[in-house]
Amino acid sequence: MTSGVVPRRGGARRSSGDLSTSIATQIIDLARRNALPEGAHLREQWVADSLRVSRSPVRRAMGLLAELGIVEQVPNRGFFLTRAAEDIPGIDVTESADAEEDAYFQIADDHLGGRFGGEFTTAEVARRYRLSPRAAQRVLTRMEGEDLLRRRPGRGWEFQGVLSTTEAHDQSYRFRMIVEPAALLEPGFRADPQAFAEHRARQESLLSGDILTSPRARLYRTGAEFHEMLVACAGNSFVSEALRRQNRVRRLIEYRHQFDRARLVDQAREHLALLDLVEAGRLEEASALLHAHLDRVRWLKTGHGPEPDVPRLPA
């Protein structure tokens, strides 16, 4: 695959989403620092003054918090906390101050940007990313465990094949649009009640605030494992393995997209709607929704082709 950085479609729009997410996390930290109780009024001007930003991005961030159920919007009155600030998990706005976590994503960005690749050693990674040899080894071992790296004979490492262009990313999603909806229509498809209950709880947790607090890697796993679980219900090992391979090769490029967390709200709701349809035996509708879901996410991440309609959730 050719090397290249995936461009962000619609820079202003995506930047707005990133800013809303960042300010939303700061609003929660502000509420915690002031030990605000349940029902506390979060006045836009007070928040804007405290964070030294204008009211417009504060209003958008409040809307995101309302979607997650952390605040409630009362018409003509404003936004109010739905729980005590101390009951909201603490959030690190920078996502992780840990040097190893930072190095992990810097290595990923450098590789996707064509700045780091070929064969390399643990010592070279330690020097380049200012890690101790032991920390560098942990980072590389983690990437090996996620099928991103492989060991070379001797002491070296190299990247496995990963998606690095918008064209390849688009093709990956189009492959999934063929395979995943069809899996739901396989004669042997059977819902797994225990797995469905587990993944329903995960999606509901995202909508309760985990979208803001979870590390990028965990958000990716939650989404990837949901789709793998759904396809596994078809009982076809070839289809399941094909999807697992797709998830491995797209992992790095997907991590980069997790910065815009606001869009994950709609995706979590669509995942829950898919579970509802399958459990109700409405597999044709579930297959159509899954196709529309994947097409919409494909366009949001690659910008290829005309914009698809937003998936319609069942009543």
Side-chain angles (χ1 to χ4, degrees):
M1 295 179 184
T2 58
S3 177
V5 180
V6 176
R8 292 176 178 238
R9 177 183 173 88
R13 182 182 63 183
R14 190 169 293 278
S15 295
S16 175
D18 295 345
L19 181 60
S20 295
T21 301
S22 175
I23 292 178
T25 62
Q26 293 178 66
I27 291 171
I28 295 176
D29 285 341
L30 180 65
R32 287 172 60 84
R33 289 197 303 271
N34 287 273
L36 297 182
E38 179 180 349
H41 186 190
L42 291 172
R43 293 182 296 106
E44 288 181 13
Q45 192 60 59
W46 174 72
V47 173
D49 291 344
S50 299
L51 300 182
R52 298 182 180 180
V53 296
S54 66
R55 292 180 63 175
S56 294
V58 167
R59 191 174 300 115
R60 288 193 293 268
M62 289 287 201
L64 174 57
L65 291 174
E67 285 193 88
L68 294 173
I70 293 173
V71 303
E72 177 185 9
Q73 184 175 11
V74 179
N76 302 318
R77 293 187 59 200
F79 295 91
F80 299 81
L81 280 178
T82 60
R83 68 193 84 168
E86 65 181 3
D87 294 332
I88 304 172
I91 298 172
D92 180 357
V93 177
T94 61
E95 193 137 50
S96 175
D98 181 80
E100 292 181 27
E101 189 77 359
D102 290 345
Y104 179 99
F105 288 107
Q106 188 60 56
I107 292 170
D109 281 345
D110 285 350
H111 179 64
L112 291 176
R115 297 181 294 275
F116 185 63
E119 296 181 29
F120 51 91
T121 66
T122 303
E124 288 170 334
V125 168
R127 288 194 299 270
R128 181 183 179 108
Y129 298 99
R130 298 181 180 180
L131 297 170
S132 69
R134 183 173 297 180
Q137 182 67 38
R138 283 195 295 266
V139 171
L140 295 175
T141 299
R142 172 184 168 185
M143 299 183 88
E144 179 188 28
E146 295 182 350
D147 292 322
L148 300 176
L149 297 178
R150 61 177 169 229
R151 296 175 190 263
R152 298 283 299 170
R155 299 182 301 159
W157 299 84
E158 67 179 358
F159 277 91
Q160 301 262 40
V162 297
L163 299 185
S164 59
T165 67
T166 54
E167 291 78 10
H169 204 199
D170 183 72
Q171 290 172 9
S172 172
Y173 267 94
R174 291 201 173 277
F175 173 80
R176 294 177 61 197
M177 287 164 61
I178 296 170
V179 171
E180 293 188 42
L184 271 62
L185 303 179
E186 280 291 285
F189 186 91
R190 297 290 184 275
D192 182 337
Q194 183 175 349
F196 270 42
E198 176 186 344
H199 283 273
R200 183 180 293 279
R202 290 189 189 183
Q203 299 301 315
E204 290 173 346
S205 292
L206 290 178
L207 293 175
S208 295
D210 283 0
I211 282 175
L212 290 176
T213 63
S214 296
R216 282 177 287 174
R218 187 183 304 162
L219 289 172
Y220 172 77
R221 287 196 303 270
T222 298
E225 289 171 3
F226 173 87
H227 285 268
E228 289 179 8
M229 178 277 298
L230 204 56
V231 166
C233 291
N236 188 318
S237 60
F238 293 96
V239 173
S240 291
E241 177 54 35
L243 181 57
R244 283 194 293 269
R245 171 158 179 76
Q246 286 296 309
N247 286 338
R248 286 197 296 269
V249 299
R250 69 188 178 91
R251 187 187 303 268
L252 283 186
I253 211 166
E254 291 285 350
Y255 282 176
R256 174 171 288 187
H257 284 283
Q258 297 295 357
F259 281 113
D260 185 8
R261 295 167 181 254
R263 64 174 178 76
L264 298 180
V265 175
D266 288 337
Q267 291 182 38
R269 288 174 176 159
E270 290 161 17
H271 286 168
L272 289 172
L274 283 167
L275 295 178
D276 290 341
L277 287 172
V278 172
E279 289 178 330
R282 298 158 62 181
L283 296 180
E284 291 279 356
E285 293 175 69
S287 178
L289 175 58
L290 181 53
H291 186 279
H293 167 81
L294 290 169
D295 196 23
R296 180 69 180 176
V297 176
R298 174 199 62 79
W299 181 82
L300 287 170
K301 293 180 178 179
T302 70
H304 278 225
E307 179 178 359
D309 292 334
V310 175
R312 292 186 178 182
L313 301 186

